[in-house]
Structures are given as C-alpha cells and as structure tokens.
C-alpha cells in the first residue's frame, strides 16, 4: 500500500521507530483532546442546542437564535463575558483589524510586546504606509521585542510606568518568524506582571493557531479580548469562513458596533445558512486540533531523524499547531512542499512552484490541497525561499491523512 503511494522503503522502515518514540507525546495530546471535548460538549448542553439552531437568516439577520446561541457557546468555552462569531469577518486579520479600530481612538497608543506583529497587520497599524491605517487616524504604535523568546518584562513595566498605553497586543503564534510561540503559562506570567503596574490597560490576544492546544484559553489567565480565525483551529475544517472575538462585554460590544453599525451591533448580521457548519466545526475542533498536533509531532520526529532541524522538537511543549522545518537549502524545501501537495486530497496533481507574492520580498512556495481556500487547519505547508529555508507546516483534518502525506513528502527527500 505504502509503495503504491510513492513512499520510499527507507521511510517505511523508519516509521515504526518514530511511532514508538512519540507514543507518550501522542497520549498527552489525547488527554488535552478529551478535556476540550468535554468543555465543548458541556457548552452545547448548557445552551440546549437543538435543530432549531441550524436555522438561517437573510437580510438584516434580526432574531437569529442560532447565531446568538453559537456566540453564547463560544463565550462559555472561553470563560468570557461575551463573544462575536461571524461569517462577516472574512479572515482572522479582518477580526483583528475590527477589534483594534473598535477600541483605539486618536491619540491612543497601541503597544505590541511580541515584536513585529503578523505580516497582514503592518498596513493596518501603519508600520507600512496605508491611508486607511490606524496611524492615519492618529493612533500611535510602539513595540517591544521578545528577548530569547521570552517577554522583556523589565522594558514592558518601565514603558507602562512612563505614560498611558491604551492597548497591549500579544501574538501567541510565531507567524513567519523563528521565535517560539507563547504558551499559556508564559502568557499568564506576563499578564500578572503587567497588572502589577497597570490594572486598566486592555490586553488583546492574537490567538490564531492556539485554540484547544492546551487546557486553558487566554481569558482564563487574565486577557481582556481574544481574536482568532474560523478557517484555523475552531472551525474544525467545517466552517467555510469567519472569525471570532471573545472577552469583556464592553469590548466585544465595541467590536460588534464597528463590524456592523453603531446602535445595531450584535443585533444584526445574517447567518446565511452557516449556523450548522459553525456548530459542527466547533464540535469537531478538539479532535481536529489533536490530529494537527499529532501530525506535527510525527513530522518533527521523522524529519529530525532525516537530519533536519525542527522547531518545536517532537517532545517540546507546544503552544500552537505550527511546525517549522529548517531545510538549509532551497531544493529540499521545494521538494518537501511539492510532496505535501501530492499527498493532499484536493489538487494532488498540481505542482507548486516558488513564486512572487504581493507583500513578500522573497519568492514563496505554498502547498495547500484543501477543501476550503486558504484553510490552514487542513494540512498546508509554505515557506519563503530565503536562508535558512524554513517550511511552516500546519494542520491535518485527521492524523492518518497527515501521516501519509508527511511520509510521501519525506520520501522525496531521501530519493
Ligand atoms: C493566520 C494568522 C492570522 C490571521 O490570518 P488570516 O489569514 O487573515 O486569517 C493572524 N495572526 C496569526 C499569528 C496567524 O497565524
């Protein structure tokens, strides 16, 4: 079976050793999955989900009980006061943008304490010129870089004591960088330190790729507002688009009034037939996230055995579903991404090539054989063609499909 799928003998013989080595790590993932499944099931029952909630609304979307119940369930799962979960958010970046524009006012200062934020936010903030940026409205931006992958607590506290900061942004997942992602423990620690000097500063978390990777979510350790995408972890591979914002009621309300209309807020927004998909995706999310984590762990162990540097290592504590593989040369990076594409269910016959992309300085190669365009809870892998030639791999709807694709991609490296 493996041979007919183009998997090399060397990989076939390595896999049993990998399976044995990662056994304990997979068991830990199962434990987290059980915990989060309980959380989700309990929330569905607490809010008495019934097939009336699979309703659809059009036009203004008044009185959409399915939509309102989904938001109550999200708030419950995140232990938050309120939630906004909408397909009118076209991406995670859009939800982050809405949250920032909702809270910040001219003269306010936004402070990032995880260094430069995700690429798509550069024009939103005004780091890169854009006439619709926060900067163009007179919102100031400052950033404090991480030091050795940890928060620069001293600098952060000094800055907070100097003059008023309105909002602190913390991006947990690494994005296109080589730093480690931020675990919930690290987040808890830095929030404690921040609260000792400033009780009021609004702490906003970019939670993309981190949901259900651990047993706690950011609100439980003191975050005020948390944002993420539904074509990542919480959509469970079923949600066709959308994003969420959860947290303090007043802040979620501001975000709703920014997304829709001041005075209408959460009351409007048609669900257009998506309620059932959002519920079903959320229901599957703990298990799909666990499949992604297992695929990442398997990848880390196998690729390390083949001599490549990986981050995180197979037995490291994980904060998100992203796996970095450092190939050291462009050819291996390209071969691996092409291998992932050829192991996908959709467009397996397509060969991705490094290409110029808007917003990137280097050529980028992207493998994505996904049911939903751009979905990265489905197995996907991409990397800019520049030293040290790192692939960023994430997702897989099931561990079995993930494992097969990784074995196929790795075979191209040993041939
Ligand atoms: C994916 C991601 C986003 C949002 O990306 P979209 O493609 O706009 O949904 C933001 N921040 C981080 C860290 C991400 O990984």
């Amino acid at each position: 079976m493996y041979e007919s799928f183009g998997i090399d003998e060397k990989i076939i013989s390595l896999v049993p050793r990998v399976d044995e080595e990662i056994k304990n790590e997979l068991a830990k993932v199962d434990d987290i999955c059980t915990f989060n499944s309980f959380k989700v099931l309990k929330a569905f029952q607490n809010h008495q989900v019934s097939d009336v909630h699979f309703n659809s609304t059009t036009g203004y979307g008044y009185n959409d009980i399915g939509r309102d119940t989904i938001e109550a369930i999200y708030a419950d799962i995140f232990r938050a006061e309120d939630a906004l979960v909408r397909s009118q958010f076209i991406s995670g970046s859009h939800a982050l943008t809405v949250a920032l524009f909702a809270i910040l006012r001219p003269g306010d200062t936004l402070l990032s304490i995880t260094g430069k934020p995700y690429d798509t936010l550069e024009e939103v903030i005004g780091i890169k010129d854009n006439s619709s940026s926060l900067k163009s409205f007179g919102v100031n931006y400052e950033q404090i870089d991480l030091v050795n992958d940890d928060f620069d607590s001293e600098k952060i506290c000094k800055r907070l004591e100097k003059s008023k900061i309105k909002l602190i942004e913390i991006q947990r997942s690494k994005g296109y960088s080589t730093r480690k992602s931020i675990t919930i423990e690290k987040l808890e620690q830095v929030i404690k330190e921040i609260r000792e000097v400033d009780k009021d500063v609004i702490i906003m978390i970019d939670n993309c790729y981190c949901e259900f990777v651990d047993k706690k979510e950011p609100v439980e350790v003191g975050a005020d507002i948390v944002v993420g995408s539904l074509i990542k972890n919480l959509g469970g591979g079923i949600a066709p688009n959308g994003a969420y914002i959860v947290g303090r009621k007043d802040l979620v309300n501001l975000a709703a009034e920014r997304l829709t209309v001041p005075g209408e807020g959460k009351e409007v927004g048609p669900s257009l037939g998506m309620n059932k998909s959002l519920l079903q995706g959320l229901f599957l999310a703990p298990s799909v996230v666990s499949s992604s984590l297992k695929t990442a762990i398997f990848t880390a162990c196998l690729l390390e055995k083949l001599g490549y540097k990986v981050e995180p290592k197979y037995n490291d504590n994980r904060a998100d579903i992203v796996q970095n593989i450092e190939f050291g040369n462009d050819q291996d990076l390209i071969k691996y991404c092409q291998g992932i594409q050829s192991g996908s269910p959709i467009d397996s016959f397509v060969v991705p090539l490094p290409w110029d992309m808007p917003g990137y300085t280097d050529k980028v190669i992207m493998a994505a054989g996904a049911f939903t365009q751009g979905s990265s809870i489905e197995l996907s892998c991409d990397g800019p063609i520049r030293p040290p030639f790192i692939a960023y791999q994430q997702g897989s709807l099931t561990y079995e499909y993930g494992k097969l694709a990784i074995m196929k991609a790795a075979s191209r490296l040993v041939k």
Side-chain angles (χ1 to χ4, degrees), residues 399-415:
Y399 179 39
E400 291 74 15
Y401 288 130
K403 204 169 160 181
L404 278 171
I406 305 309
M407 287 167 73
K408 194 164 164 70
S411 295
R412 301 210 169 183
L413 300 171
V414 300
K415 276 212 175 100

Side-chain angles (χ1 to χ4, degrees), residues 286-305:
S287 165
V288 173
V289 169
S290 117
S291 297
S292 297
L293 286 169
K294 288 177 179 181
T295 303
I297 291 166
F298 178 82
T299 305
C301 190
L302 178 66
L303 274 282
E304 193 167 38
K305 283 199 189 308

Side-chain angles (χ1 to χ4, degrees), residues 17 89 93 113 133 162 173 258 260 265 323 328:
R17 277 169 51 200
F89 285 127
S93 304
I113 60 169
S133 68
K162 200 180 96 188
S173 189
R258 181 76 280 148
T260 69
Q323 180 64 49

Side-chain angles (χ1 to χ4, degrees), residues 337-357:
C337 289
Q338 291 177 342
I340 293 290
Q341 184 77 35
S342 72
S344 302
I346 312 298
D347 290 336
S348 62
F349 51 90
V350 167
V351 181
L353 295 170
W355 216 257
D356 291 311
M357 306 271 294

Side-chain angles (χ1 to χ4, degrees), residues 90-94 96 118 120-121 171-175 206 208-209 229 231-232 322 374 376:
I90 54 128
S91 64
S93 304
H94 184 206
L96 287 160
Y118 197 67
T120 52
L121 293 183
Q171 179 187 313
R172 294 187 62 198
S173 189
K174 70 189 95 176
D206 176 349
C208 282
Y209 286 139
S229 163
I231 58 168
K232 294 181 178 173
V322 182
S376 46

